[in-house]
Amino acid sequence: MSDLNSLAELESQLTDIKHAFEQEFERFARFSDPVFVKTGTVPGTIAAQLPDLQSYQDILAQLRTKYFGKKSALAAAKKSIGRVAPEERSSFGQFVQQTESSLLAKLEIVEQSLRARIATERIKRDSIDVTLPGRRPRHGHLHPITLLREKIEDVFVSLGYAIEDGREIETDFYNFDALNIPQNHPARAEQDTFYTTAGLALRSQTSTVQIHAMQRRGAPVRMIAPGRVFRRDTPDPTHNPMFYQVEGLCVDRGISMAHLKGTVGEFLRRMFGPDTRTRFRPSYFPFTEPSAEFDFSCFKCGGSGCRICKNSGWIELGGSGMVHPNVLRAAGVDPTEFSGFAFGLGIDRMVALMYSLDDIRLLFENDIRFLEQFD
Ligand code: DAH
């Protein structure tokens, strides 16, 4: 009698196990749908992503241990087969076996379809679609100041000039002494020049390169030196404490003012067209004697007057003159044998004029929205 009772008990325990499993397993049943294996989704549900699929797989592995492992209720039920009365043992045994294999079959179908699905998702993730259009790198272009500088360099190289690369930090000798700038000259004042360590300063003009060029190359020499210069100016639409100049120097036997005028005139005609006119106005610079400032006829109106040339017909460009004998001497060139001319011009203002920029600072802010307009 007690055996019968315990058999009924065992059977109902087994049925409980079966129900508990089915309840926990319910949410996985949909994965046995062949549509899921094929598409990753079952009608009416959201497609599972790879990480979800992998966590489902983990949960299933836990389920397997919980219901079919050595310490599971099912394992205990199997052990109890031996305790059942001999005449009922085989039918109970079959019942246990059937329950186990039907539950396992359900679990295995889902495990299999998840495995298949995960394999498909992995291939999808790891494969490269070679038919997709590539991502083109954004290609840059030269800065407008660089474009103008290169154009100027091209003209002078074709006239037989070398290009000198100067220094941005200079000693007093190159900044002032060698350029015949006297001790008390206002350019030496701290409010105009950025002094760094004692005796050194950021160059305030490219004229310093004249000295280096003559020292290194001797005479005769023909060179231009484009580069940055620094002045303690407060930034405003027409000033920036850093800007660009191009220096020019030609030293040889018998060089005169005529060569200066001819060279600057030819340079500007090549830059702005054959009708461009040049004019020289007397001026003063410590490193040249005589000195002159030069203008060229407006590239926009040709000289009749417009907004760009402020109705004068002329655009002021730079300073120039015959190299002062003291400068030649300071650079080791004999002024009784050689003479030369020099000039210097600012190129940022020229860019601003050419592109009608109303604020020169735009050129130095590196704002891509501004710069990409010059492609
Ligand atoms: N260095 C001068 C300046 O920054 C420009 C200049 C004038 C350069 C006369 C020269 C020159 O070479 O001869 O304003």
Side-chain angles (χ1 to χ4, degrees):
M1 221 39 195
S2 67
D3 272 352
L4 260 182
N5 267 347
S6 87
L7 179 63
E9 231 167 70
L10 285 174
E11 282 178 346
S12 96
Q13 266 172 19
L14 211 54
T15 314
D16 287 347
I17 295 171
K18 188 170 175 255
H19 288 153
F21 174 84
E22 278 167 351
Q23 211 166 27
E24 275 195 63
F25 184 73
E26 198 179 74
R27 66 188 180 118
F28 292 98
R30 63 192 162 114
F31 295 138
S32 58
D33 189 327
V35 181
F36 165 76
V37 181
K38 233 166 130 185
T39 65
T41 183
V42 187
T45 63
I46 298 168
Q49 305 298 307
L50 191 53
D52 305 330
L53 296 174
Q54 278 159 344
S55 58
Y56 286 143
Q57 207 174 32
D58 292 344
I59 299 171
L60 280 182
Q62 286 161 15
L63 270 188
R64 186 183 256 279
T65 322
K66 181 172 170 186
Y67 286 94
F68 307 98
K70 279 198 195 116
K71 288 178 187 154
S72 64
L74 204 63
K78 276 194 206 162
K79 276 188 205 126
S80 65
I81 297 174
R83 286 194 278 117
V84 174
E87 63 275 18
E88 274 144 358
R89 200 173 287 158
S90 105
S91 74
F92 178 68
Q94 265 175 18
F95 181 50
V96 175
Q97 283 307 337
Q98 266 167 15
T99 309
E100 182 179 35
S101 52
S102 82
L103 298 185
L104 258 181
K106 284 184 186 176
L107 183 69
E108 271 161 12
I109 289 177
V110 169
E111 281 174 342
Q112 222 172 45
S113 40
L114 266 180
R115 259 199 307 275
R117 193 61 223 158
I118 285 171
T120 314
E121 288 294 333
R122 284 216 176 104
I123 290 170
K124 216 163 77 186
R125 182 195 61 186
D126 298 341
S127 68
I128 299 166
D129 183 350
V130 291
T131 65
L132 277 178
R135 274 180 226 146
R136 265 177 215 288
R138 221 172 129 134
H139 68 213
H141 57 83
L142 296 175
H143 190 281
I145 291 179
T146 309
L147 291 171
L148 182 64
R149 192 199 77 213
E150 290 192 341
K151 204 168 160 192
I152 294 171
E153 288 175 356
D154 285 349
V155 171
F156 278 102
V157 165
S158 76
L159 293 176
Y161 281 68
I163 300 192
E164 279 281 337
D165 203 6
R167 306 166 185 187
E168 292 176 352
I169 299 180
E170 286 285 10
T171 60
D172 279 349
F173 174 76
Y174 290 97
N175 268 326
F176 306 116
D177 301 330
L179 288 170
N180 198 35
I181 298 173
Q183 282 297 334
N184 59 352
H185 194 279
R188 293 201 184 213
E190 285 203 23
Q191 61 264 36
D192 291 327
T193 305
F194 287 108
Y195 285 93
T196 56
T197 323
L200 293 174
L202 300 184
R203 66 177 178 194
S204 56
Q205 51 186 5
T206 46
S207 303
T208 50
V209 191
Q210 291 184 26
I211 312 301
H212 289 291
M214 285 189 278
Q215 282 182 333
R216 201 169 43 238
R217 295 170 185 261
V221 62
R222 276 200 298 255
M223 68 90 193
I224 61 161
R228 292 198 283 188
V229 301
F230 308 85
R231 289 183 196 175
R232 296 188 60 172
D233 275 332
T234 306
D236 69 26
T238 55
H239 292 88
N240 196 58
M242 184 279 295
F243 58 100
Y244 286 82
Q245 287 189 333
V246 176
E247 190 78 11
L249 174 72
C250 170
V251 177
D252 206 336
R253 294 176 184 85
I255 296 293
S256 73
M257 199 85 180
H259 297 108
L260 167 65
K261 294 182 81 172
T263 305
V264 170
E266 180 60 17
F267 158 60
L268 289 166
R269 279 189 298 277
R270 293 206 196 175
M271 290 293 293
F272 297 105
D275 298 329
T276 309
R277 284 164 292 124
T278 330
R279 95 180 165 183
F280 287 77
R281 291 175 282 110
S283 185
Y284 170 78
F285 297 101
F287 31 87
T288 43
E289 182 60 34
S291 305
E293 283 174 68
F294 57 93
D295 311 331
F296 67 106
S297 54
C298 177
F299 57 83
K300 191 81 184 181
C301 63
S304 55
C306 69
R307 207 176 66 89
I308 288 196
C309 59
K310 298 202 193 79
N311 275 322
S312 71
W314 294 98
I315 293 173
E316 293 180 12
L317 191 55
S320 65
M322 299 306 293
V323 182
H324 197 290
N326 286 348
V327 174
L328 294 176
R329 249 190 304 270
V333 172
D334 181 359
T336 62
E337 189 184 355
F338 293 100
S339 58
F341 67 77
F343 59 87
L345 49 97
I347 63 177
D348 337 58
R349 286 208 185 147
M350 184 123 96
V351 171
L353 284 176
M354 288 166 74
Y355 293 106
S356 304
L357 305 180
D358 51 13
D359 194 328
I360 206 159
R361 291 170 295 185
L362 287 167
L363 290 168
F364 308 114
E365 283 168 354
N366 267 349
D367 187 331
I368 202 96
R369 293 165 302 177
F370 169 75
L371 291 174
E372 68 190 359
Q373 300 173 69
F374 299 90
D375 199 0

